[in-house]
Amino acid sequence: MSAALIRRPELPALGDRLRREGRRIAFANGCFDILHVGHVRYLEEAKKCGDVLVVGVNSDRSVAALKGPGRPILPEEARAELVAALAPVDYVVIFAELTAAGVLRDLHPDVHCKGTDYSVETVPERDLVKSYGGVVQIVGDAKNHSTRELLAEIARRTRQD
C-alpha cells in the first residue's frame, strides 16, 4: 500500500488531525533523486521515531538549486511516488523551499529526522523545531551512499562499454 500524496496546503490540517488522534508525528525530508539503500535506511529509522512518518520531497527547482546542473534526474512527481511506495512512509508532500522550515511550521512534527550527514547542532531548522516543542533526531546509517556517487559510477561504467 502506498502512502498518501498530500498537497502542501493540507499540512496544517493533517498535523492537527494526527495530534488530536494522539499520534506522534515524525518528519523526514530530502531530494530522493535516485533512490538507494541509504534513503531506505534513513526512512526506516525515521519511522521508528513516530507513529506516522511524513516525508517532504524537494521540488525540481529546489533540487536544481541544491545539487547543481543536471539535477534532478527524475521529476518531482516520480520521486514523490517512489518515496510514497516505501513501507515506512505514511504521507509525502512536495515542497519548493531550500530547507524544510516552512513545512515544519505547517506540520509541527514531534520529531524532525535528519540523516547522519548532519549533527543535531548543524540541522538548519533546529531552533524552529525546538521553538514549538519538537526534537531533532539524527537517523539512518553512515553517509556512505549518495546519488552523486551512484551517478558517477553509472557514467564511469557507461564510458567503459
Side-chain angles (χ1 to χ4, degrees):
M1 181 174 152
S2 289
L5 296 170
I6 61 171
R7 294 177 309 117
R8 177 70 182 274
E10 298 174 62
L11 280 177
L14 174 66
D16 290 345
R17 179 177 60 80
L18 293 172
R19 278 187 293 284
R20 275 194 315 273
E21 293 171 0
R23 303 188 64 198
R24 184 171 170 82
I25 305 167
F27 174 78
N29 67 284
C31 297
F32 304 101
D33 197 4
I34 294 180
L35 284 179
H36 55 71
V37 70
H39 292 133
V40 173
R41 292 172 182 166
Y42 166 55
L43 296 175
E44 286 174 340
E45 290 296 311
K47 176 64 178 203
K48 294 176 184 175
C49 294
D51 303 312
V52 177
L53 177 59
V54 179
V55 179
V57 173
N58 287 81
S59 70
D60 291 345
R61 201 166 78 218
S62 65
V63 172
L66 291 166
K67 302 296 183 176
R71 301 284 297 277
I73 301 299
L74 297 174
E76 61 195 45
E77 295 84 5
R79 292 183 286 114
E81 187 175 338
L82 286 167
V83 169
L86 298 174
V89 179
D90 297 297
Y91 296 92
V92 175
V93 63
I94 297 170
F95 68 100
E97 300 88 350
L98 298 181
T99 74
V103 174
L104 293 166
R105 274 192 288 279
D106 289 345
L107 183 63
H108 283 193
D110 299 284
V111 185
H112 178 33
C113 302
K114 293 298 278 184
T116 57
D117 48 335
Y118 289 90
S119 68
V120 171
E121 294 76 28
T122 63
V123 171
E125 307 90 356
R126 178 190 66 184
D127 291 339
L128 169 63
V129 173
K130 289 172 72 175
S131 75
Y132 66 75
V135 297
V136 171
Q137 184 75 42
I138 305 302
V139 300
D141 64 351
K143 178 81 172 167
N144 56 11
H145 322 279
S146 79
T147 299
R148 186 177 315 273
E149 291 170 8
L150 183 59
L151 291 171
E153 180 64 15
I154 291 168
R156 185 185 68 74
R157 290 183 186 196
T158 302
R159 285 190 302 271
Q160 289 178 350
D161 291 344

